[in-house]
Amino acid sequence: GESVGLHLPTLSVQEGDNSIINCAYSNSASDYFIWYKQESGKGPQFIIDIRSNMDKRQGQRVTVLLNKTVKHLSLQIAATQPGDSAVYFCAENMGSNTGKLIFGQGTTLQVKP
Amino acid sequence: EAEVAQSPRYKITEKSQAVAFWCDPISGHATLYWYRQILGQGPELLVQFQDESVVDDSQLPKDRFSAERLKGVDSTLKIQPAELGDSAMYLCASSQSNPEKLFFGSGTQLSVL
């Protein structure tokens, strides 16, 4: 079936380095993608989104890249800080305009001081 | 900043008992979602409301789960009877009428003993 997945369950980076979290999706009809951050015991928090008619979008310290050719999504975090430690999920809207998001399994980002 | 409110924060119950979760979405958000998140996995949609109507409940175990949003504002999710496998985080989310960016509450952590 259709699914959204992440390449690595855990990513460990040094404080101050840049982080790259990857996600592969399988539904070519998906037209909207979101990255969420989830800290322990909390609900997912919106980070950044991108529509399928774009290939890059920047926020504050974060950049999302979309490669529709290979169905790949990535989240780049610049100058990673201890507060960035969390689980990161990518999610795709299946293109039905219903708002139904399909979430991947998540990547745990660990920031070493 | 407006938030999605959920209660209770934690719930411990014995199997075969009934449990109920409450959610108050961000004011003005017409679309409300209930997601279930098993530890270590991404959230999975249980039910989606547009105002007071169910839009998608295809993943809701209807033999034991029910959800309502009678006045199109707050919502209740019920499980009766609870089973051991229902132990999970139950997340509520809402979005404006343009159903893309979802805002999540902090969730209800359910433990079934």
Side-chain angles (χ1 to χ4, degrees):
Chain A
E2 305 292 357
S3 65
V4 177
L6 292 170
H7 293 303
L8 293 174
T10 303
L11 176 65
S12 185
V13 300
Q14 203 70 37
E15 181 179 357
D17 288 351
N18 296 334
S19 303
I20 300 176
I21 301 173
N22 296 304
C23 176
Y25 65 95
S26 57
N27 187 353
S28 56
S30 293
D31 58 5
Y32 179 70
F33 304 87
I34 305 180
W35 280 99
Y36 282 93
K37 171 187 179 183
Q38 188 173 26
E39 297 174 279
S40 180
K42 297 183 179 180
Q45 177 185 4
F46 172 85
I47 301 174
I48 192 168
D49 57 359
I50 188 168
R51 298 180 186 275
S52 59
N53 61 353
M54 303 172 67
D55 53 20
K56 180 179 180 179
R57 192 171 187 208
Q58 289 184 294
Q60 188 176 13
R61 280 202 309 120
V62 296
T63 300
V64 55
L65 299 177
L66 175 63
N67 186 331
K68 294 181 290 294
T69 301
V70 295
K71 297 178 187 173
H72 184 268
L73 192 69
S74 68
L75 177 69
Q76 300 178 1
I77 304 174
T80 312
Q81 303 170 358
D84 295 328
S85 295
V87 179
Y88 289 80
F89 293 96
C90 65
E92 64 178 320
N93 182 301
M94 302 294 281
S96 61
N97 202 35
T98 65
K100 180 176 181 178
L101 291 179
I102 305 298
F103 282 79
Q105 293 299 302
T107 290
T108 299
L109 177 63
Q110 299 174 338
V111 182
K112 297 177 290 185
Chain B
E1 183 176 280
E3 295 182 343
V4 176
Q6 287 190 249
S7 66
R9 187 72 180 85
Y10 303 95
K11 180 68 178 179
I12 300 174
T13 191
E14 295 183 343
K15 63 179 181 180
S16 81
Q17 295 298 305
V19 292
F21 315 128
W22 177 80
C23 172
D24 191 12
I26 294 173
S27 178
H29 281 195
T31 313
L32 184 147
Y33 313 79
W34 283 102
Y35 278 81
R36 177 171 60 186
Q37 185 176 26
I38 296 171
L39 188 64
Q41 299 182 17
E44 294 180 324
L45 181 67
L46 291 175
V47 62
Q48 176 185 344
F49 288 92
Q50 181 68 31
D51 299 310
E52 67 276 9
S53 301
V54 173
V55 173
D56 184 347
D57 63 356
S58 58
Q59 300 303 311
L60 189 71
K62 299 180 186 62
D63 57 334
R64 297 185 300 108
F65 286 64
S66 64
E68 61 182 17
R69 193 184 184 198
L70 294 176
K71 296 182 179 179
V73 181
D74 58 338
S75 174
T76 302
L77 178 69
K78 298 179 180 178
I79 308 175
Q80 183 174 18
E83 296 181 353
L84 297 177
D86 296 332
S87 294
M89 172 79 85
Y90 290 82
L91 293 161
C92 180
S94 69
S95 66
Q96 292 182 336
S97 58
N98 183 7
E100 291 183 336
K101 184 189 301 183
L102 271 61
F103 294 87
F104 284 85
S106 295
T108 295
Q109 183 66 54
L110 174 66
S111 296
V112 182
L113 306 178

